[in-house]
Amino acid sequence: MTWWRALKQTGRSGLAVERRRLEPLVALRGAVGLAIVIGLSLTLFGPAVAASSAFGAFQAAIATFQRSWRPRPELALASGTSLAVSTFLGYVTGSHLLLFLALLALWTFLAGLSWAAGPTIGLIATSNVAIMLVTITLPTSVAAAAGHAAMMVVGGAVQAVLVIVFPVRRWGAHRDALADALAAEADYARRLRHDPVAPFDPVPLMTARAAAHITPRQARKRPAELHGARGVAERIRPVLASLADPALGVPADGPERDRVRELLSAAGIILDAAARAIRHGDPVDLTPSAIAAFRTPDTGAVLSGPPQRAARRLGTLLRDVVEVAGGTSDTDDDSEPATNTNLVRPGLTALVPAALKAMRQELRQRHTAVTRHALRVTTVAVAGYVLGTFLPLGHPYWAPMASVMVMRPDFSQTYTRAVGRFAGTLVGVTLATALVQLTHPGTHLSGALAVTSAGLMYLLMRTGQIAAQACVAAYVVFLLGMGGEQWTQTVPERVVLTLIGGLLAMAAYASYPAWETPRLRTRLADWLTADGKYAAAVAAHYADPAGTSCPDVRGTLLAARDARAAWQEALERAEHEPVRHRGLSRAAAAEAEDALAQFGRVAMLLEAHLPDRDTPPVPAAEHLAEALRTTTEQGAKAVRDRRVPHWDEIREVLDDWEPEDAPERVVRRGGTLLRKALDDLSEALDTSPPPMLVDGADTHVRKENRTRGTGPQGT
């Protein structure tokens, strides 16, 4: 993609307004908290302290909107407290330019590194740096700075108390995550009726797993219907696929296929009913036809072998999920079958050590996207503040504040936010200035207008950059106006310096980028390695059904999902970058993704047919497991080195294998499908020239080479 096209796409994204579900009650709660803080501060301490405390309450409310599964009061308290510390330290060093620049560099670098601990922590830390640049100008002494910092803590505490006293749809995000996972499986069951090899995106299951990580305090208060349903849903997905798949299940046509379609349709209805019940906290409402589909006695007469076992297991799992969704089951969370314990999220006190550990790991790896982001944002923040100080505009903090707020570890978000922030600032200050000129508001009216602007920002936060930034710009104009600054002192320089800050951010990324495109092969290799370990773990359980010396299938499955998600995220980022990867075209990336997705799907089918613990072992499966593990690791190295991987060892194991009984036939057939998926991956990565014509005949060089496993090594 050219730079011009990339800039056009990111600019269009920054100016777009999306239709999203609004949360007016949550926005109202945040605005009310802000109004309480401003009102008390104005009454007790005056406009300057009110402005500081308002920033604390404003930022704390924004923290409660973040996509985090942590309790909202914790986020509000952490945001208000960290902003108070930043402001106090910033004021103490603010009178000495070099000392303040050193603090700004350190604080900004740590904020940039904090993205390694997650986007919520990264955003809170980044916002603290940006707001600190404004709030340090409000106090007039060290004692006053301490008072301002204390009021920021109070602002965060007020927002936390409001979240506790006036909860809006308590556990709503967790309910939605689990309900979305069940609804995705219901849709999957319906699609399998018409397409037995339909793909399934595991993202809803991954989101539900993230939501299942809870703090000890949350574990004591979690609703009964959120216990255990996710663990059951995880086991339903492979059963659905194994029941519908024609390779390891029933034939593509005939009475067996008709019976499978009936069961899949009923499963979709039951899963949808469970999803609705969990989402709204209502009883499960099942249709009689769906219940009757699993109670008819002809399943055993129509289906036999693995499909029959899958049908019976599906009925059992659906009964379990209905019981859990209805709150009538005593089952615990069952997130990890081996331990049957909750997935624990560290509390607020344990969050800081965990974040520091993630940041240290990023520093050790050096040239990662997060480390480069930390260096970029630090350089730009210091340069922007120095530039704003020496320009004859006043208010030097506008430029670095704009830079810090728009910069992100990836290209697309940085440029999109830069365009959106400048456009939103221009709209917001224009509207706010016009309103100030018409009404000439006093202190209290300015505070009311600031609260209104903040409430609109909370309401429109997720609809796009331009809408949110317009409200933020108006909020700052009214808030500083409440503190005594005239619009002529804030508006012109803010527009100019915001533009400068955005340009600095964009230039910094272009000069010191962290492109995702060159790392696509590494991401693909990581996914191949993780999928290989998952398939090998499944095959090993056929060789040792008791599993006494086998790797954990569940752990390898989760690692494979994470690797797939990392690949898809990297591919999405790369699509917007103005660089090309000579070793992996878009078409090759798409074909390689399809091949690895098919590989993971076949491994999941084999997992669904795992034998019971007392089943006789399949000795040949041990050789298949070892071949899968070693060849995928070697293949991953070949992918990183831009060579075409080969799978000779797997082919030799399958050629020497003569299956005798049903379990052997299942794993042998699965091994063949796994090898075919790997061959498709090699074909996608083969960048050798097309077949040559020799004496008028096509030599089919590439096809023969792939058949022998001696194809060209690529470029």
Side-chain angles (χ1 to χ4, degrees):
M1 181 183 295
T2 63
W3 268 96
W4 170 248
R5 186 178 177 184
L7 291 175
K8 186 168 63 174
Q9 285 190 1
T10 53
R12 188 182 297 116
S13 299
L15 299 177
V17 177
E18 303 178 14
R19 297 185 62 181
R20 294 288 184 91
R21 186 179 68 180
L22 304 180
E23 298 180 346
L25 293 180
V26 180
L28 179 62
R29 184 181 63 196
V32 168
L34 181 61
I36 292 174
V37 171
I38 290 179
L40 289 176
S41 301
L42 277 176
T43 303
L44 298 177
F45 304 107
V49 176
S52 289
S53 60
F55 275 115
F58 176 74
Q59 174 63 15
I62 291 179
T64 63
F65 276 86
Q66 300 310 307
R67 293 179 178 88
S68 173
W69 308 111
R70 187 168 295 280
R72 304 298 167 179
E74 290 186 4
L75 296 177
L77 287 173
S79 177
T81 304
S82 57
L83 179 60
V85 173
S86 300
T87 298
F88 181 75
L89 293 178
Y91 178 80
V92 170
T93 60
S95 58
H96 306 280
L97 181 60
L98 293 181
L99 188 59
F100 176 73
L101 289 178
L103 175 69
L104 178 62
L106 174 63
W107 231 235
T108 308
F109 184 75
L110 293 177
L113 278 182
S114 67
W115 286 90
T120 300
I121 295 179
L123 184 60
I124 291 176
T126 299
S127 300
N128 286 343
V129 173
I131 295 177
M132 175 195 72
L133 293 167
V134 180
T135 54
I136 61 173
T137 63
L138 299 174
T140 55
S141 65
V142 174
H148 283 242
M151 288 305 299
M152 290 178 184
V153 176
V154 171
V158 168
Q159 294 289 9
V161 170
L162 286 179
V163 172
I164 297 173
V165 176
F166 299 106
V168 179
R169 197 165 175 257
R170 194 191 300 269
W171 292 96
H174 297 75
R175 289 181 178 276
D176 287 342
L178 181 53
D180 289 344
L182 293 173
E185 290 192 325
D187 177 70
Y188 182 52
R190 286 188 290 268
R191 287 188 290 115
L192 286 174
R193 296 177 65 245
H194 308 287
D195 181 7
V197 294
F200 179 82
D201 189 354
V203 169
L205 291 176
M206 297 174 67
T207 304
R209 176 177 170 79
H213 284 80
I214 54 177
T215 63
R217 184 174 67 86
Q218 286 178 312
R220 294 190 295 268
K221 301 179 180 180
R222 185 169 52 170
E225 55 268 30
L226 297 184
H227 287 256
R230 189 193 65 83
V232 180
E234 289 276 5
R235 298 194 293 273
I236 288 178
R237 183 234 174 160
V239 175
L240 290 172
S242 65
L243 186 63
D245 186 79
L248 300 178
V250 300
D253 296 301
E256 292 175 299
R257 175 59 56 179
D258 293 337
R259 178 60 178 150
V260 165
R261 290 194 180 103
E262 182 183 1
L263 293 176
L264 291 173
S265 177
I269 295 173
I270 294 173
L271 288 169
D272 269 336
R276 285 193 298 271
I278 289 175
R279 193 183 303 276
H280 302 293
D282 298 330
V284 183
D285 184 15
L286 296 177
T287 59
S289 59
I291 300 175
F294 283 93
R295 288 181 176 175
T296 53
D298 61 342
T299 298
V302 177
L303 302 179
S304 62
Q308 182 185 13
R309 292 196 301 271
R312 290 177 178 174
R313 189 180 182 196
L314 178 60
T316 302
L317 291 173
L318 289 175
R319 283 194 296 271
D320 290 344
V321 79
V322 168
E323 290 179 0
V324 176
T328 60
S329 174
D330 295 330
T331 306
D332 201 355
D333 185 50
D334 197 20
S335 301
E336 300 296 331
T339 60
N340 197 35
T341 57
N342 292 324
L343 296 174
V344 180
R345 184 183 303 277
L348 188 60
T349 56
L351 183 62
V352 174
L356 292 177
K357 180 180 179 181
M359 294 163 66
R360 285 197 302 269
Q361 290 177 348
E362 286 293 329
L363 282 176
R364 292 193 188 102
Q365 297 175 9
R366 296 187 179 180
H367 299 295
T368 63
V370 172
T371 304
R372 282 177 170 256
H373 167 69
L375 293 173
R376 276 195 309 268
V377 72
T378 301
T379 303
V380 169
V382 173
Y385 193 86
V386 172
L387 184 62
T389 300
F390 289 100
L391 285 177
L393 296 174
H395 301 284
Y397 49 78
W398 291 123
M401 185 174 71
S403 300
V404 169
M405 289 302 296
V406 304
M407 295 184 76
R408 293 293 184 268
D410 64 288
F411 164 82
S412 179
Q413 286 195 52
T414 297
Y415 278 62
T416 296
R417 294 177 65 85
V419 173
R421 186 174 184 87
F422 177 72
T425 298
L426 191 61
V427 172
V429 296
T430 300
L431 294 177
T433 301
L435 190 57
V436 168
Q437 288 291 89
L438 290 174
T439 60
H440 300 286
T443 300
H444 291 84
L445 183 55
S446 294
L449 291 173
V451 170
T452 302
S453 300
L456 288 174
M457 196 279 293
Y458 298 147
L459 183 64
L460 304 176
M461 183 185 301
R462 294 174 180 168
T463 62
Q465 282 296 310
I466 186 170
Q469 292 302 327
C471 296
V472 171
Y475 169 76
V476 174
V477 169
F478 292 134
L479 196 65
L480 294 181
M482 183 184 68
E485 294 194 30
Q486 301 297 321
W487 71 270
T488 53
Q489 296 175 293
T490 60
V491 173
E493 58 264 29
R494 174 161 194 190
V495 173
V496 175
L497 291 174
T498 297
L499 176 60
I500 293 175
L503 292 176
L504 284 175
M506 297 169 76
Y509 203 104
S511 303
Y512 189 56
W515 303 125
E516 198 67 51
T517 302
R519 290 194 289 269
L520 284 180
R521 277 187 170 267
T522 300
R523 301 289 190 186
L524 187 64
D526 293 341
W527 184 14
L528 173 59
T529 302
D531 264 6
K533 291 180 179 179
Y534 171 46
V538 173
H541 274 268
Y542 281 89
D544 182 12
T548 55
S549 60
C550 296
D552 178 29
V553 173
R554 178 65 177 161
T556 56
L557 171 62
L558 296 176
R561 284 182 181 173
D562 291 339
R564 174 176 177 166
W567 156 262
Q568 291 177 331
E569 182 180 355
L571 189 63
E572 183 179 358
R573 290 180 177 180
E575 289 179 353
H576 302 285
E577 293 178 349
V579 291
R580 292 182 179 180
H581 194 319
R582 298 178 180 178
L584 192 66
S585 65
R586 289 189 177 183
E591 293 175 2
E593 180 177 350
D594 291 341
L596 275 184
Q598 176 65 12
F599 183 88
R601 178 182 170 278
V602 175
M604 179 193 65
L605 292 176
L606 286 174
E607 181 189 358
H609 290 289
L610 282 178
D612 297 329
R613 298 177 65 88
D614 56 352
T615 304
V618 180
E622 183 177 357
H623 301 292
L624 177 61
E626 183 61 26
L628 285 169
R629 187 180 301 108
T630 57
T631 55
T632 50
E633 290 176 353
Q634 295 168 1
K637 186 177 185 302
V639 171
R640 294 188 183 95
D641 296 339
R642 298 190 180 185
R643 295 183 287 110
V644 179
H646 309 305
W647 321 105
D648 298 336
E649 188 174 346
I650 298 177
R651 186 177 291 105
E652 292 172 0
V653 170
L654 295 174
D655 290 343
D656 296 338
W657 191 349
E658 293 295 337
E660 298 177 357
D661 54 15
E664 284 201 61
R665 287 195 295 270
V666 169
V667 69
R668 171 66 170 78
R669 176 58 176 162
T672 302
L673 295 175
L674 289 173
R675 191 208 66 191
K676 182 180 182 304
L678 292 175
D679 287 340
D680 292 340
L681 175 64
S682 296
E683 184 176 353
L685 298 176
D686 191 349
T687 58
S688 60
M692 298 180 295
L693 292 177
V694 179
D695 296 331
D698 190 344
T699 59
H700 298 282
V701 174
R702 291 175 62 186
K703 181 177 180 181
E704 291 180 4
N705 284 337
R706 283 196 300 271
T707 302
R708 301 191 192 104
T710 57
Q713 297 302 301
T715 57

